[in-house]
Amino acid sequence: HESDAAAVAVSPTSSQVSYALIDGNRVPKDMPCESESIVKGDSSEYSIAAASIIAKVTRDRIMRDYADMYPKYNLDQHTHSATAIS
């Protein structure tokens, strides 16, 4: 589940993270820090919006690299970011 990914992402740095904003409707039970879920948080919180853009751009770059490595799978069709990527 995607909100469980938040707990995994925070876990290695949990000693440095004191509070997390989660884009969604629930906080994972195993979050290692105090957290708040915000439905459609990417439209109301700049930090969530920025993290979302970074994640999408990174995913698109990875998919383009895989598309070059495995052209028969047409992985380049799976990039959906509206953000300009250089």
Side-chain angles (χ1 to χ4, degrees):
H1 193 270
E2 62 189 30
S3 64
D4 295 331
V8 172
V10 171
S11 188
T13 60
S14 61
S15 64
Q16 299 170 0
V17 177
S18 59
Y19 195 82
L21 295 176
I22 310 295
D23 186 15
N25 62 1
R26 71 177 188 88
V27 173
K29 293 176 185 167
D30 55 349
M31 279 300 286
C33 63
E34 187 177 350
S35 305
E36 174 185 357
S37 64
I38 303 172
V39 175
K40 298 186 180 186
D42 58 343
S43 64
S44 64
E45 294 292 331
Y46 290 128
S47 58
I48 294 175
S52 178
I53 291 168
I54 291 168
K56 289 174 184 171
V57 168
T58 300
R59 180 189 179 279
D60 285 354
R61 287 180 177 159
I62 291 168
M63 292 304 288
R64 276 197 298 281
D65 289 345
Y66 282 150
D68 291 341
M69 293 168 55
Y70 307 103
K72 71 179 183 179
Y73 294 108
N74 297 315
L75 297 173
D76 54 340
Q77 295 177 7
H78 298 283
T79 59
H80 302 291
S81 180
T83 305
I85 301 171
S86 56

